[in-house]
């Protein structure tokens, strides 16, 4: 290791720089910095690069490079040709950018003048072209032949549209839907009590379009159902059973209910109240209904 190398290394270490940090600051590769400290100048790209690297190294660690060069003149390689002083990579990039900007600034005025001249030439050409077309045309700038052709085309178009309209079929009127006829309202059954004898009660059914009876059993019930002397039911019903009979058109209906307290009766959907209270002595009841509404039809 040379005296210059020792001197530079000691100053680097006093400043607290490692070789990696010095490489970042100087933009000089670490192997070149290490070669300078070890006096191996043959590793460097050339003698003038060696002087430039030593100068940059000295300035970065706070030394006056002129004093360093004067003190260690015998050790520092002498450059035969030093065309330019060594410039760090960051400075070289900056100079290249500045050069690009200067070229752009040089050409910008020329480009602007060229654009203005081109615009003037286009304007003159357009003016001359319009003047020539106006001189060759008629007073209003239209060509009689083209006007005649356009009028002919318009006439043909109008006649075609007229013929198309004549061929159109008259619009078909949508037939009106026949009004729905109102269904006659169903007449509600009118049940008129005529009298009670013993356990038999007679009723008269008036103004009824339908005649339906239904039972729901809340307990065991024995029951007979007759319509116009015809037996429709004669059986024992248990709790939960239901029974329904359509008696429309029947003249006389007879119901023989063995346990009316367990038989819930409806006539045409309306609840029927037994004439004899079931909680007293009306457990067994006979109901006779004469359909006078049917006999009048």
């Amino acid at each position: 290791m040379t005296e210059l190398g020792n001197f530079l290394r000691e100053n680097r270490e006093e400043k607290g720089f490692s070789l990696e940090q010095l490489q970042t600051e100087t933009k000089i590769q670490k192997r070149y910095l290490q070669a300078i400290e070890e006096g191996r100048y043959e590793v460097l790209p050339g003698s003038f690069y060696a002087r430039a690297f030593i100068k940059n190294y000295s300035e970065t660690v706070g030394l006056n490079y002129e004093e360093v060069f004067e003190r260690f003149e015998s050790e520092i390689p002498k450059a035969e040709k030093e065309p330019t002083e060594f410039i760090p990579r960051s400075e070289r990039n900056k100079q290249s950018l500045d050069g690009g900007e200067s070229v752009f600034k040089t050409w910008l005025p020329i480009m602007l003048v060229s654009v203005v001249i081109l615009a003037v030439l286009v304007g003159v050409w357009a003016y001359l072209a319009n003047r020539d077309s106006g001189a060759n045309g008629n007073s209003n700038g239209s060509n009689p032949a083209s006007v005649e052709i356009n009028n002919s085309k318009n006439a043909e178009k109008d006649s075609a549209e007229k013929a198309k309209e004549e061929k159109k079929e008259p619009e078909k009127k949508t037939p009106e839907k026949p009004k729905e006829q109102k269904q006659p309202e169903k007449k509600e059954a009118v049940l008129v009590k005529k009298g009670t004898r013993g356990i038999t009660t007679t009723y008269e059914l008036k103004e009824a379009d339908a005649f339906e009876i239904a039972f729901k059993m809340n307990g065991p019930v024995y029951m007979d159902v007759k319509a116009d002397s015809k037996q429709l039911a004669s059986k024992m019903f248990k709790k939960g059973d239901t029974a329904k009979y359509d008696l429309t058109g029947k003249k006389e209906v007879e119901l023989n209910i063995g346990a009316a307290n367990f038989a819930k009766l409806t006539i045409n959907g309306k609840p029927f109240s037994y004439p004899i209270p079931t909680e007293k002595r009306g457990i067994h009841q006979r109901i006779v209904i004469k359909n006078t509404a049917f006999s009048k039809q």
Side-chain angles (χ1 to χ4, degrees), residues 223-279:
M223 183 172 59
D224 286 336
V225 180
K226 292 181 181 179
D228 293 342
S229 302
K230 184 179 179 180
Q231 191 84 36
L232 299 181
S234 179
K235 59 182 288 189
M236 186 74 185
F237 294 89
K238 63 181 181 295
K239 182 179 180 180
D241 287 346
T242 59
K244 188 175 182 180
Y245 303 96
D246 186 0
L247 304 173
T248 304
K250 304 300 181 182
K251 294 181 180 179
E252 185 173 310
V253 175
E254 182 180 344
L255 307 174
N256 187 7
I257 306 169
N261 56 325
F262 291 139
K264 199 172 191 180
L265 171 62
T266 59
I267 298 177
N268 285 352
K270 292 184 177 182
F272 176 79
S273 297
Y274 289 104
I276 303 172
T278 56
E279 62 272 12

Side-chain angles (χ1 to χ4, degrees), residues 107-177:
W107 282 97
L108 180 61
I110 299 173
M111 294 170 62
L112 292 175
V113 172
S114 301
V115 170
V116 172
I117 293 172
L118 181 61
V120 171
L121 292 176
V122 171
V124 173
W125 175 81
Y127 170 75
L128 294 176
N130 290 333
R131 188 180 65 178
D132 292 342
S133 62
N136 293 332
N138 55 12
S139 59
N140 59 2
S142 60
N143 192 340
S146 63
V147 172
E148 185 176 353
I149 292 172
N150 290 335
N151 290 338
S152 175
K153 289 182 178 179
N154 292 334
E156 290 177 359
K157 185 178 180 181
D158 292 341
S159 61
E161 290 180 355
K162 187 175 180 181
K164 188 176 180 181
E165 290 179 358
E166 290 177 354
K167 289 180 180 180
K168 283 183 179 179
E169 296 182 359
E171 295 182 358
K172 295 181 179 180
K173 293 183 178 180
T174 305
E176 295 182 358
K177 293 182 179 180

Side-chain angles (χ1 to χ4, degrees), residues 15 77 79 92 103 181 190 215 264 273 277 283-284 296:
K15 294 292 183 181
R92 293 200 300 271
V103 172
Q181 295 181 355
V190 178
F215 289 93
K264 199 172 191 180
S273 297
I283 293 178
H284 184 196
K296 292 179 180 179

Side-chain angles (χ1 to χ4, degrees), residues 21 23 29 33-34 37-38 42 55-56 88 129 136 153 166 171 176 182 237 240 260 283 285:
Q21 291 174 330
Q23 174 182 255
Q29 294 183 25
L33 297 173
Q34 192 171 4
E37 290 182 354
E38 295 174 356
E42 69 276 6
K55 175 187 174 184
N56 200 356
N136 293 332
K153 289 182 178 179
E166 290 177 354
E171 295 182 358
E176 295 182 358
K182 291 184 179 181
F237 294 89
I283 293 178
Q285 298 193 38

